[in-house]
């Protein structure tokens, strides 16, 4: 039989299309399987649906010939888009696919492969957080006392002076929330002047100054809201209240104290709705490769993830972001904290109370009797807590915790130092993540500078190559600091067999670090260098936190 040439050509064409569709279908099946596990917590029935429809078309093209191909060329993409739309309704905000952020991320990745990420950033600047300057009407804000009664600037049995002061307090909170402040301090500078300072990106900044008389009225108003004794001005007092602003909710811890010019007040804003952590691991500035590794680890039914770093390095935020990715409906999640910093729905949270002898170790023991799947232990401070937590990690629980240590290898020697058995660490710990926070350069005012020869040599960049980095300057948009917002530097040490074997011989920090680097660990410093070269932060800011 002689084939007509055009028929052979046609066969080749259709055969090629068939093969391309089959390959596309295969990779979509694999992706759906992985993605559904992460988004829905279960690969079924999504993977079976995709495999099933594929097989159906395979059979159809066998039986019905090539005429079925155009149909499958339509059905496969349609099904995929349908799946993506559905998973987006369940996915965390940082992980949605049909979003501008995802398009930007994907585009940036492609350009990064060509070494063009800076050019990309210039054309598509990264989304910035809200600034200090507000446009439009002020957002609605409600101050809620502990008993649930609202205090606002309008009437409600308050005299004119107090209701004016309440409005000042509201303004103060709007400003603080918009500039991402974690603390507000209102303190007398002299008997004629009060200053309001906010802790933004970890650093205190002056945001307003109030005349003495009004300042005292503001203090009284805050004491009313926080249920403090207004007449008592000589002793420190504590109180709590809640601030509702737009769709966010903040628990506020207030503490007053006397000074020689009068009373001062410190307010700590706890983001009661989880805020940023709801976006999951994808939303806290972590490299995609580390996010993927962490997800793989924390989806195991047992094991332990330790996040380490100094105070204020964002350890709790990272743990909560990881925790928020776990399905609260199919898993029993219990946290033990000191204090509770974020409130998450569907999770049972307990606060440590040392005065009432409720220590981490004690609560942890009773927690284990409540059949948890996932336990968050706020901090490991002693051998007893470490040992109970590790026993739990070996017996069908996944444990998240933090430890005060400089980097990942040091965490291991710290655990050995407090007397934890090497064999216990070997079998319980899955990974250690070290973390720091660096301030992000304000894109409105950062200045380009040439990287010095000295640093090029240190960072292993060829001397002849010209490298531009940025340094901070300061403008109205960043309140003169040169920075807006913060991002994390990360160092993830996954416990593999090499590292586990090392532990028995009481290794030095250096030995552990070498083994970890051999297995692909990027250090905090390398993570910092990456952020400097990408123009995210400055050399001096990076060196401030990662030495
Ligand atoms: Zn600026």
């Amino acid at each position: 039989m002689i084939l007509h040439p055009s028929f052979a050509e046609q066969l080749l064409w259709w055969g090629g299309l068939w093969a391309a569709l089959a390959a596309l279908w295969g990779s979509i099946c694999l992706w759906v399987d992985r993605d559904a596990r992460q988004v829905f917590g279960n690969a079924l029935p999504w993977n079976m649906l995709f495999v099933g429809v594929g097989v159906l078309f395979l059979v159809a093209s066998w039986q019905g010939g090539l005429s079925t191909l155009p149909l499958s060329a339509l059905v496969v993409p349609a099904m995929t888009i349908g799946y993506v739309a559905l998973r987006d309704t369940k996915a965390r905000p940082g992980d949605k696919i049909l979003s501008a952020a995802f398009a930007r991320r994907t585009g940036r990745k492609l350009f990064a492969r060509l070494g063009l990420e800076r050019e990309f950033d210039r054309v598509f600047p990264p989304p910035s957080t809200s600034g200090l300057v507000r446009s439009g009407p002020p957002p609605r804000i409600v101050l809620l006392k502990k008993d649930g009664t609202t205090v606002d600037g309008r009437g409600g049995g308050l005299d004119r002076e107090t209701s004016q002061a309440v409005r000042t307090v509201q303004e103060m909170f709007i400003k603080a929330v918009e500039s991402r402040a974690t603390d507000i301090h209102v303190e007398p500078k002299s008997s004629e002047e009060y200053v309001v300072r906010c802790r933004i990106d970890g650093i205190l900044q002056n945001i307003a100054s109030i005349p003495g008389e009004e300042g005292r009225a503001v203090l009284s108003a805050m004491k009313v809201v926080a249920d403090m004794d207004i007449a008592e001005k000589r002793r420190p007092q504590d109180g709590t209240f809640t601030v509702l602003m737009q769709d966010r909710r903040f628990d506020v811890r207030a503490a007053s104290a006397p000074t020689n010019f009068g009373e001062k007040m410190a307010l700590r804003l706890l983001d009661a709705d989880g805020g940023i952590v709801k976006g999951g691991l994808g939303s806290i500035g972590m490299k995609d490769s580390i996010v993927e590794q962490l997800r793989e680890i924390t989806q195991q039914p047992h094991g332990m993830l330790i996040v380490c770093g100094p105070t204020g390095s964002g350890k709790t935020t990272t743990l909560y972001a990881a925790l928020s990715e776990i399905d609260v409906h199919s898993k029993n999640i219990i946290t033990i904290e000191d204090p509770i910093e974020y409130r998450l729905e569907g999770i049972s949270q307990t606060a440590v109370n040392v005065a009432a002898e409720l220590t981490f170790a004690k609560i942890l023991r009773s927690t284990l009797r409540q059949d948890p799947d996932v336990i968050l232990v706020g901090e490991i401070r002693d051998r007893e807590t470490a040992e109970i937590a590790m026993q739990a990690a070996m017996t069908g629980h996944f444990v998240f915790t933090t430890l005060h240590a400089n980097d990942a290898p040091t965490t291991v020697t710290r655990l050995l130092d407090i007397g934890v058995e090497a064999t216990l660490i070997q079998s319980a710990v899955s990974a250690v993540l070290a973390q720091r926070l660096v301030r992000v350069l304000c894109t409105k005012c950062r200045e380009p500078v040439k990287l010095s020869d000295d640093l090029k040599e240190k960072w292993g960049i060829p001397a002849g190559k010209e490298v531009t980095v940025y340094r901070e300057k300061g403008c109205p948009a960043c309140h003169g600091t040169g920075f807006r917002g913060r991002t994390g530097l990360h160092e993830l040490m996954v416990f593999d067999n090499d590292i586990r074997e090392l532990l028995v011989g009481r290794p030095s920090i250096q030995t552990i670090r070498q083994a970890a680097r051999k297995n692909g660990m990027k250090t905090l410093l390398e993570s910092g260098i990456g952020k400097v070269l990408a123009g995210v932060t400055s050399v001096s800011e990076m060196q401030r936190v990662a030495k």
Side-chain angles (χ1 to χ4, degrees):
M1 178 181 144
I2 298 163
L3 286 176
H4 198 275
S6 77
F7 179 68
E9 215 171 74
Q10 229 177 33
L11 194 68
L12 207 67
W13 214 89
W14 284 114
L17 183 65
W18 191 89
L21 272 174
L24 180 70
W25 165 64
S27 51
I28 288 175
C29 286
L30 287 175
W31 174 76
V32 167
D33 182 71
R34 217 175 45 218
D35 186 72
R37 247 177 252 277
Q38 279 176 7
V39 176
F40 299 99
N42 200 348
L44 287 169
W46 311 105
N47 53 2
M48 288 328 281
L49 185 71
F50 274 79
V51 170
V53 170
V55 169
L56 212 69
F57 271 104
L58 196 72
V59 174
S61 71
W62 193 261
Q63 298 287 324
L66 295 172
S67 54
T68 56
L69 272 182
L71 186 63
S72 65
L74 283 178
V75 170
V76 171
M79 256 176 71
T80 313
I81 291 169
Y83 171 78
V84 167
L86 186 74
R87 57 84 74 192
D88 269 8
T89 62
K90 289 265 178 191
R92 291 168 297 276
D95 279 337
K96 294 199 192 304
I97 290 180
L98 300 174
S99 70
F102 181 82
R104 187 185 179 276
R105 242 187 1 251
T106 314
R108 194 177 187 281
K109 237 189 246 172
L110 288 176
F111 276 74
R113 254 179 226 169
L114 304 168
L116 294 172
E117 61 261 62
R118 281 219 199 131
E119 286 72 8
F120 184 86
D121 283 346
R122 206 166 302 144
V123 183
F124 302 102
S128 54
T129 36
S130 67
L132 285 164
V133 189
R134 188 174 62 238
S135 54
R140 186 168 152 63
I141 181 164
V142 177
L143 306 177
L144 269 184
K145 285 171 77 163
K146 207 162 60 183
D147 61 10
T149 45
T150 54
V151 180
D152 61 20
R154 285 169 240 122
L158 300 172
D159 59 59
R160 220 178 61 110
E161 196 188 39
T162 313
S163 48
Q164 174 58 42
V166 168
R167 278 200 289 275
T168 310
V169 173
Q170 289 175 322
E171 273 302 318
M172 210 168 72
F173 271 102
I174 293 172
K175 212 163 184 179
V177 170
E178 286 183 343
S179 52
R180 313 171 315 275
T182 50
D183 301 80
I184 306 174
H185 296 256
V186 185
E187 49 206 4
K189 215 168 123 188
S190 64
S191 49
E192 277 95 56
E193 189 191 2
Y194 273 73
V195 287
V196 180
R197 296 192 295 166
C198 281
R199 189 175 294 282
I200 301 164
D201 300 337
I203 287 164
L204 272 179
Q205 295 174 21
N206 270 3
I207 63 159
S209 130
I210 311 174
E213 204 49 52
E214 200 192 333
R216 281 182 281 279
V218 165
L219 248 295
S220 302
M222 286 191 293
K223 284 166 87 176
V224 170
V225 182
D227 268 333
M228 294 180 184
D229 179 357
I230 307 176
E232 175 61 79
K233 292 183 178 172
R234 299 212 183 123
R235 268 185 304 174
Q237 298 185 66
D238 293 325
T240 57
F241 59 99
T242 303
V243 173
L244 304 175
M245 194 175 135
Q246 281 153 329
D247 50 357
R248 293 177 73 186
R249 180 194 158 95
F250 298 86
D251 284 342
V252 181
R253 279 194 298 171
S256 73
T259 76
N260 44 349
F261 294 118
E263 270 184 300
K264 68 172 195 175
M265 176 88 79
L267 306 163
R268 161 147 278 202
L269 274 68
L270 302 171
D271 193 341
D273 300 325
I276 168 170
V277 304
K278 272 193 188 155
L281 287 170
S283 65
I284 54 172
M286 197 178 270
K287 253 175 86 175
D288 288 353
S289 58
I290 293 186
V291 172
E292 272 161 38
Q293 271 177 298
L294 274 184
R295 281 188 181 148
E296 207 168 289
I297 290 162
T298 57
Q299 272 160 19
Q300 302 297 321
H302 59 87
M304 181 186 249
L305 173 71
I306 306 176
V307 180
C308 68
T311 310
S313 58
K315 300 187 290 270
T316 315
T317 308
T318 301
L319 279 191
Y320 267 101
L323 206 61
S324 77
E325 303 208 339
I326 294 168
D327 180 23
V328 293
H329 302 296
S330 65
K331 297 229 168 123
N332 183 12
I333 307 173
I334 297 184
T335 77
I336 308 163
E337 298 165 79
D338 183 21
I340 296 171
E341 288 186 39
Y342 299 101
R343 294 205 182 270
L344 291 181
E345 233 172 278
I347 290 181
S348 112
Q349 298 175 285
T350 315
V352 166
N353 185 343
V354 181
E357 290 192 344
L358 287 170
T359 58
F360 275 117
K362 206 164 193 173
I363 303 176
L364 188 50
R365 275 188 215 283
S366 67
T367 294
L368 286 170
R369 291 192 284 271
Q370 292 164 36
D371 184 33
D373 298 296
V374 177
I375 311 166
L376 184 146
V377 181
E379 189 182 355
I380 286 184
R381 290 175 192 159
D382 54 75
R383 176 175 159 187
E384 194 188 5
T385 312
E387 284 177 349
I388 310 169
M390 287 188 190
Q391 296 287 359
M394 287 163 61
T395 52
H397 310 280
F398 197 95
V399 181
F400 291 93
T401 191
T402 71
L403 199 127
H404 200 91
N406 273 331
D407 56 23
T410 313
T411 300
V412 178
T413 55
R414 175 68 47 83
L415 285 170
L416 291 167
D417 285 345
I418 62 172
V420 182
E421 291 289 328
T423 47
L424 198 54
I425 304 174
Q426 265 181 332
S427 18
V429 180
S430 316
V432 180
L433 176 77
Q435 177 168 325
R436 293 287 187 285
L437 289 177
V438 286
R439 286 177 293 162
V440 173
L441 282 168
C442 168
T443 46
K444 292 227 166 77
C445 67
R446 62 179 185 179
E447 284 183 330
V449 279
K450 299 262 173 293
L451 188 63
S452 71
D453 290 340
D454 189 30
L455 283 178
K456 270 194 235 170
E457 196 188 322
K458 266 196 201 148
W459 295 356
I461 298 166
K465 198 175 168 197
E466 200 152 279
V467 179
T468 308
V469 294
Y470 291 87
R471 69 169 171 219
E472 61 271 24
K473 188 180 168 215
C475 70
C478 57
H479 229 72
T481 59
F483 296 99
R484 281 179 83 185
R486 286 190 288 181
T487 190
L489 307 184
H490 300 101
E491 169 181 294
L492 179 64
M493 183 168 96
V494 179
F495 274 47
D496 56 8
N497 289 336
D498 292 353
I499 287 170
R500 292 206 162 101
E501 270 169 29
L502 266 183
L503 292 183
V504 199
R506 266 210 87 87
S508 68
I509 296 175
Q510 201 50 37
T511 320
I512 305 171
R513 186 173 295 127
Q514 274 165 7
R517 293 192 56 121
K518 217 179 87 201
N519 290 317
M521 179 183 85
K522 294 269 176 276
T523 63
L524 281 170
L525 183 65
E526 285 168 310
S527 168
I529 292 172
K531 297 261 192 237
V532 170
L533 293 179
V536 173
T537 195
S538 69
V539 173
S540 60
E541 173 67 4
M542 189 273 274
Q543 286 173 337
R544 183 177 71 90
V545 299
K547 279 165 209 124

